[in-house]
Amino acid sequence: MTREVTVRAPGKLNLQLSVGPRRDDGYHPLATVFQAVDLYETVTATPRADDRFTLEMTMLPTVKAAPGAVPLDETNLAMRAARAVAARYGITDGVDLRVVKGVPVAGGMAGGSADAAATLLACAEAWNVGATRDELDELAAGLGSDVPFALHGHTAVGLGRGDELSPAMTHGEFHWVFATQGHGLSTPAVYAEFDRQVEAGERTAKDPHLSNAIMSALMAGDAHALGASLQNDLQGPALALAPHLKRTLDLAHEAEALGAMVSGSGPTVAALGRSRQHALAIAAHLSAVGESDAVFTVSGPAPGAVVLN
Ligand code: C5P
């Protein structure tokens, strides 16, 4: 029995992103702490009687993306996820995918990875393939480093390429402000700038390691301690490619954010508030003075991919 299935999966930020030297396969070893936030991608999978795969995408108002910013062909991550499920379980029928984007495009918040995670689960349910969680994890890791986390959500430590996950203990809710930029940064370009800085001797790349300060701040639910220990090794490279982001970071500090940093490979800037109210105040300051494209508040941790119908 097949049926139409809708799944939503969250965007994320990295509370810590410790990056080691480039490996021979081109990837970088990471020690990262992901937190899912309540900003979602929603994917509806409708099985077809023929063998066609189609993709339709709409953007929510917070997602301002240039036309053509997201490819709708076979290279699209949602499309690749649907193909991966079909190939793994020998499905010969096609599927219609409808994606509603709530996570900014190319913002370092893993919106594309959330599409892939939501699509994996939606197609597995729609085609009723009886996939186990481990099987979905394996398919997810094959699609991208951040896809397994979008399936799991909440707060997790990521090792390896970022795809070897273990849950992190957290207490309470954290209130974030996200400031997005009209022009995205490409993740490979930011990693390439990281490599350039290492080769030029402008920075060193040591074996990545987890920050105890972040883990204990999360466990204690201590926003002040968390804000003081946020860390992102890709911030320097992202700022080198997009120097204007420094102004947004300064504005967040002016508004007394507990911490502010570039999120993942950027260019989104994330700032931590003391409370939901304070996050709104920081957001108001960034909107009034800054050059950000969109500013909004979100809370984390949020759940991973869930079936909505
Ligand atoms: O795994 P994913 O396809 O999301 O990675 C996109 C790009 O980001 C890779 O091609 C690589 O350039 C870079 N990357 C990396 N090290 C990681 C994760 C991503 O260099 N751990």
Side-chain angles (χ1 to χ4, degrees):
M1 254 267 290
T2 60
R3 65 182 181 112
E4 177 172 291
V5 176
T6 300
V7 173
R8 76 168 202 206
K12 59 84 186 166
L13 79 168
N14 300 76
L15 308 176
Q16 184 197 1
L17 187 49
S18 173
V19 181
R22 190 175 178 274
R23 307 190 308 210
D24 289 342
D25 67 0
Y27 280 92
H28 296 71
L30 303 182
T32 187
V33 182
F34 295 105
Q35 178 155 89
V37 294
D38 57 355
L39 207 59
Y40 300 100
E41 299 283 295
T42 307
V43 177
T44 301
T46 312
R48 291 177 63 101
D50 60 17
D51 62 359
R52 287 189 59 215
F53 282 58
T54 73
L55 174 63
E56 194 186 288
M57 190 170 276
T58 49
M59 316 255 177
L60 294 180
T62 43
V63 182
K64 293 181 191 154
V70 182
L72 294 176
D73 57 12
E74 290 288 334
T75 64
N76 182 284
L77 264 186
M79 200 67 133
R80 288 175 47 208
R83 293 277 185 197
V85 175
R88 171 71 173 73
Y89 297 97
I91 302 291
T92 50
D93 291 344
V95 68
D96 292 324
L97 300 172
R98 286 201 311 280
V99 178
V100 178
K101 294 197 77 67
V103 179
V105 174
M109 296 173 66
S113 300
D115 290 345
T119 305
L120 284 176
L121 185 54
C123 287
E125 289 290 314
W127 284 321
N128 198 18
V129 298
T132 64
R133 198 76 209 192
D134 281 351
E135 289 168 1
L136 288 181
D137 278 345
E138 206 182 300
L139 289 174
L143 291 165
S145 309
D146 291 339
V147 183
F149 178 71
L151 268 181
H152 281 258
H154 302 283
T155 308
V157 169
L159 301 176
R161 285 188 296 135
D163 57 332
E164 295 164 22
L165 296 178
S166 46
M169 296 250 273
T170 66
H171 214 94
E173 236 187 340
F174 297 95
H175 302 283
W176 300 96
V177 182
F178 281 179
T180 63
Q181 310 294 322
H183 291 283
L185 279 175
S186 121
T187 302
V190 175
Y191 275 106
E193 172 63 16
F194 176 91
D195 296 338
R196 192 202 61 75
Q197 292 184 356
V198 172
E199 273 154 36
E202 294 166 23
R203 69 181 306 137
T204 52
K206 292 185 278 225
D207 281 341
H209 65 278
L210 270 188
S211 147
N212 289 332
I214 289 185
M215 300 313 281
S216 30
L218 284 170
M219 215 178 307
D222 184 338
H224 284 84
L226 182 62
S229 46
L230 297 173
Q231 182 232 322
N232 180 4
D233 284 348
L234 292 184
Q235 175 161 310
L239 286 175
L241 298 179
H244 60 279
L245 295 179
K246 174 77 170 53
R247 167 108 174 108
T248 307
L249 291 169
D250 289 344
L251 287 171
H253 289 299
E254 250 175 56
E256 296 179 8
L258 300 178
M261 65 174 174
V262 170
S263 168
S265 57
T268 299
V269 167
L272 180 60
R274 290 186 297 270
S275 61
R276 193 182 298 273
Q277 217 44 45
H278 183 214
L280 287 168
I282 298 168
H285 188 64
L286 292 183
S287 317
V289 199
E291 303 116 48
S292 302
D293 201 51
V295 181
F296 44 90
T297 59
V298 297
S299 299
V306 287
V307 176
L308 296 182
N309 60 338

